[in-house]
Amino acid sequence: ETASLVARGAVSKGDVLAVARVAGIQAAKRTSELIPLCHPLALTVIEVDLTVGGEGVAIEAAAETTAQTGVEMEALVAASIAALTVYDMAKAIDKEMVVTDVSLVEKTKELA
């Protein structure tokens, strides 16, 4: 029921998916402020995709940089904060929600 309300944009706090996407993007840009010793990076790409299914919302985040270090923390932070935003916006209508399975799916490094 909650997933259906989120998909339809019928949650009283607003468009959950749009707000969560923006929250994830903002969080990725501030990763170095949130995680000690994490390098500040100039991101060239940050994408946060949310898909509503019968059991909940799946979130996938991708980040890219031209820096000489990995960018997986930015993607993980983006997905985590997007999930927490969904939770925050829908918690009044669903007391049983949980955030689960935050994981790195793929990390690649392309050499120029």
Side-chain angles (χ1 to χ4, degrees):
E1 183 180 334
T2 304
S4 176
L5 290 171
V6 168
R8 293 192 324 261
V11 174
S12 64
K13 282 192 167 186
D15 186 339
V16 173
L17 302 178
V19 174
R21 181 175 291 110
V22 171
I25 292 167
Q26 286 180 321
K29 292 180 176 189
R30 300 186 75 163
T31 299
S32 66
E33 295 173 37
L34 300 169
I35 300 176
L37 306 178
C38 195
H39 299 315
L41 298 177
L43 300 176
T44 55
V45 173
I46 179 68
E47 296 175 352
V48 179
D49 296 315
L50 296 97
T51 306
V52 180
E55 293 298 312
V57 179
I59 301 168
E60 186 171 319
E64 294 179 16
T65 186
T66 57
Q68 295 295 323
T69 187
V71 71
E72 70 274 13
M73 293 308 300
E74 285 72 11
L76 289 165
V77 167
S80 298
I81 295 301
L84 291 172
T85 301
V86 171
Y87 184 94
D88 180 58
M89 293 185 72
K91 68 186 176 205
I93 55 174
D94 188 346
K95 307 288 188 222
E96 304 297 319
M97 277 189 304
V98 293
V99 174
T100 63
D101 300 333
V102 177
S103 65
L104 181 64
V105 175
E106 179 182 25
K107 179 179 176 180
T108 60
K109 183 173 184 175
E110 294 181 20
L111 301 174

